[in-house]
Amino acid sequence: MGRMKDIAIDLISFEQGELGQREILDLFATLVASGMAWTLQGSYGRTALWLINEGWLTEGGEITDEGEEMLEAVTA
């Protein structure tokens, strides 16, 4: 239950705009890897698919080198 509680807190924080770029990408990596991205409301699946199509996440929920480069660029 602990990890599910953490994900729920992250989802609420995401909805409230309280997560940084790294936290958002980590959250969506977790959602994709667990399959939850495809069972939550549609905007989560659409965002996950967009992140995959941009090349920032793999279909298995791993952050790609391109995703890491994007994070470095936005935090520089």
Side-chain angles (χ1 to χ4, degrees), residues 33-75:
S34 69
M36 288 179 63
W38 321 120
T39 62
L40 295 169
Q41 73 179 30
S43 65
Y44 287 98
R46 288 189 296 275
T47 301
L49 187 58
W50 182 80
L51 292 168
I52 291 167
N53 288 337
E54 287 297 310
W56 297 341
L57 291 179
T58 67
E59 291 182 3
E62 298 291 324
I63 298 173
T64 65
D65 290 340
E66 291 85 1
E68 291 292 345
E69 291 171 11
M70 177 276 300
L71 288 171
E72 288 176 19
V74 297
T75 58

Side-chain angles (χ1 to χ4, degrees), residues 11-28:
L11 290 171
I12 292 167
S13 296
F14 172 72
E15 293 276 337
Q16 294 177 343
E18 298 173 348
L19 298 182
Q21 297 298 320
R22 162 63 68 185
E23 295 165 312
I24 291 170
L25 200 55
D26 286 341
L27 171 60
F28 277 89

